[in-house]
Amino acid sequence: MADELTFRILLLACYLPGQIIRMLILRRNPFGKPVRTVNPGREMLMYRTGFYLFLLPLIYGLTPWLDFAHFSLPDGLRYTGFLVVVAGTVVLLLSHSALGSNWNGQLNIRENHTLVVRGIYAYVRHPMYLAFLLSGIGTLLLSANWLVGGLLLIWFWIMYLGRVDREEQMMIDQFGEQYRAYMKSTGRLLPKRLV
Ligand code: SAH
């Protein structure tokens, strides 16, 4: 039996570098002003809630405060969770580096917005949401803590289900046929084709 400290260290080790690199990528990109905004109230609420929820892995890793929500899980599944969080982090970083200054925490089209169809976006339209899903599943398994993983997953589904159709409609309104053609060759969260 590995001890709990090992799993705490593993979660911090796969979680923190990803967040730091993400911030560096975001700082490097000059963002234009939003010129089209969809559903701003809900989007701001989800963005803020998401920000605070993503502090949970940090609290889990550094304090005993969330230990009351621990459940027992075989070590093999917890190590699998580690690999899933790492995969989520890689997908998140690939998404940010392809999207560059077109990234938005909410549903906005910015000045000089371009449609990105290269890199990981050549395979899936929503790799960042895939990354959040992988992080949520992986965190649940690795932490064996229903509060940490459970809340992240609940947040993900509420955010995703209320957003993805509106986001695609916004992209169609902005990019028209170009986005419709892009939709035909890509999957939402998983690739339609691998080559
Ligand atoms: N849904 C994408 C992007 C998340 S960030 C993903 O999961 O990877 C959300 C913002 O990204 C949206 O407000 C939209 O402005 C922008 N966006 C989404 N897909 C895009 C694309 N293919 N090219 C450029 N911008 C995109």
Side-chain angles (χ1 to χ4, degrees), residues 99 104 106-108 113-114 116 121 126-129 167 171:
L99 206 54
N104 274 284
Q106 289 124 56
L107 289 186
N108 291 321
H113 206 117
T114 54
V116 175
Y121 286 86
H126 303 287
M128 231 174 250
Y129 303 156
E167 178 168 339
M171 298 302 280

Side-chain angles (χ1 to χ4, degrees), residues 2-104:
D3 68 36
E4 284 303 315
L5 184 64
T6 310
F7 296 121
R8 286 178 201 271
I9 293 171
L10 281 180
L11 187 61
L12 289 174
C14 58
Y15 176 79
L16 278 180
Q19 292 302 317
I20 292 168
I21 298 172
R22 182 183 201 210
M23 279 176 209
L24 292 177
I25 295 176
L26 289 178
R27 274 187 53 177
R28 211 185 50 197
N29 287 300
F31 293 112
K33 265 199 291 185
V35 289
R36 188 196 286 267
T37 299
V38 174
N39 216 10
R42 179 187 190 276
E43 288 303 323
M44 182 50 88
L45 181 68
M46 290 315 293
Y47 181 71
R48 290 211 173 123
T49 323
F51 176 83
Y52 289 113
L53 284 182
F54 273 83
L55 296 176
L56 284 175
L58 209 63
I59 299 173
Y60 161 83
L62 297 174
T63 76
W65 300 342
L66 305 176
D67 289 0
F68 68 91
H70 178 75
F71 57 92
S72 102
L73 209 59
D75 284 359
L77 276 180
R78 299 190 71 175
Y79 287 118
T80 305
F82 170 69
L83 296 178
V84 176
V85 181
V86 171
T89 304
V90 171
V91 172
L92 181 71
L93 296 178
L94 289 175
S95 313
H96 268 295
S97 69
L99 206 54
S101 55
N102 298 299
W103 180 82
N104 274 284

Side-chain angles (χ1 to χ4, degrees), residues 130-159:
L130 173 64
F132 293 155
L133 179 59
L134 291 172
S135 292
I137 295 171
T139 302
L140 182 65
L141 294 175
L142 174 54
S143 66
N145 186 299
W146 57 261
L147 192 78
V148 179
L151 283 182
L152 286 177
L153 281 172
I154 291 169
W155 173 84
F156 168 77
W157 283 112
I158 296 175
M159 183 281 293

